[in-house]
Amino acid sequence: MAEAAQVAVIGGSGLYRLLDDADEIRLDTPYGKTSDVVSIGNLGGATVAFLPRHGRNHELAPHHVPYRANLWALKQLGVRRVIAPAASGSLQPGILPGDIVICDQLVDRTSGRADTYCEPGCVIHASLADPYCEALRTLACTAACQLHIRVHGEGTVVVIQGPRFSTRAESRWFAQSGWAVVNMTQYPEAALARELGLCYLNLSVVTDRDAGVIGNPDAPPVTAQSVLEVLRQGMGQARQLISAIVEGLDSASVCQCQALAAEARI
């Protein structure tokens, strides 16, 4: 087997490859196959595992991503920290395409997704009060500022089922609720990471101003092609930020993610 990795990157839309000169392995799990092969190589002086969330050819829609298999496989490889960039739409006038939001909260609006490792005979009541690792968030904010990346150090992501985009009415509702960005994959990924005791960090790469946002009522509808066009530029910044975060991991403060997972099991 390839060398164990303590940190992983789950690549979102637009980020299908990350590592040069990497070993590729296919892992089977109790929850089926992962989205794609896992690549293991060097980044920022550390051994890093990389897994494209939607597959390297973007063949998996958000509601078809094997979230449980993905997180389980990374845990098998020895991963303790997960960096998860994800394409997102802005819900607030001050958050612009190309910005990165380091989310601190999420709202789940999905349905029917396999979202727990709690099986018959195993009871898990995971705390998701603070779904993202605070130590990794602090590190990411510092790294983004040093790179002069336009970043928002907090914000709530509302996770919709997809694969369709929001109606204008839904977008106005989300914006009026004060939520920062909208995305289709942060749940159940963050919740599953918590159950496994993995530190989990979201980097929301803003691709568009969602239809219906205050101050943007006549915006053209969001389309897949317009999102991909912005991603070609935004993911370049995300790559820089990911590398800087990995380089700074040794200086990250102690967090409660593993303790919260241990306390969740009855």
Side-chain angles (χ1 to χ4, degrees):
M1 178 179 285
E3 184 180 355
Q6 290 197 340
V7 59
V9 177
I10 300 178
S13 298
L15 185 58
Y16 309 114
R17 287 180 173 81
L18 180 69
L19 305 169
D20 297 322
D21 192 25
D23 295 324
E24 293 186 344
I25 57 175
R26 168 70 73 178
L27 294 174
D28 287 324
T29 77
Y31 307 97
K33 295 184 180 297
T34 55
S35 293
D36 208 309
V37 295
V38 180
S39 302
I40 299 182
N42 185 274
L43 181 70
T47 302
V48 173
F50 175 75
L51 177 61
R53 183 183 289 117
H54 299 281
R56 68 181 63 190
N57 297 312
H58 203 118
E59 60 269 30
L60 296 171
H63 61 301
H64 289 151
V65 172
Y67 298 99
R68 292 194 298 178
N70 288 350
L71 273 299
W72 189 271
L74 296 178
K75 178 78 171 182
Q76 281 183 306
L77 290 171
V79 166
R80 295 174 50 225
R81 291 159 163 161
V82 177
I83 302 169
S88 304
S90 168
L91 294 170
Q92 300 300 329
I95 300 175
L96 305 177
D99 290 2
I100 293 178
V101 181
I102 301 172
C103 290
D104 62 332
Q105 284 293 319
L106 69 79
V107 173
D108 172 30
R109 293 288 302 167
T110 66
S111 61
R113 298 185 181 186
D115 61 356
T116 181
Y117 295 107
C118 184
E119 306 286 357
C122 172
V123 179
I124 306 171
H125 293 295
S127 170
L128 209 63
D130 299 297
Y132 300 107
C133 176
E134 190 60 32
L136 289 185
R137 288 188 60 256
T138 299
L139 175 61
C141 288
T142 300
C145 290
Q146 291 173 343
L147 291 169
H148 304 291
I149 292 173
R150 184 177 161 90
V151 67
H152 304 265
E154 61 183 13
T156 296
V157 54
V158 54
V159 191
I160 60 174
Q161 176 70 0
R164 69 169 179 84
F165 293 116
S166 302
T167 66
R168 293 186 190 275
E170 288 168 335
S171 182
R172 286 194 298 269
W173 171 30
F174 299 157
Q176 289 165 3
S177 296
W179 302 331
V181 289
V182 57
N183 168 264
M184 298 180 189
T185 57
Q186 278 298 285
Y187 191 87
E189 204 167 86
L192 293 169
R194 176 57 49 81
E195 287 192 358
L196 293 177
L198 302 176
C199 298
Y200 185 86
L201 170 71
N202 165 247
L203 304 174
S204 285
V205 181
V206 178
T207 59
D208 60 274
R209 296 182 66 193
D210 213 43
V213 172
I214 296 172
N216 196 38
D218 299 320
V222 180
T223 68
Q225 292 305 313
S226 65
V227 165
L228 290 173
E229 183 61 36
V230 177
L231 276 177
R232 292 187 182 98
Q233 302 174 14
M235 279 302 172
Q237 283 196 139
R239 286 171 182 267
Q240 286 184 296
L241 181 53
I242 290 166
S243 183
I245 293 169
V246 171
E247 288 177 6
L249 283 175
D250 287 343
S251 64
S253 58
V254 176
C255 69
Q256 298 297 311
C257 298
Q258 290 188 22
L260 289 171
E263 293 169 358
R265 294 182 178 272
I266 302 299

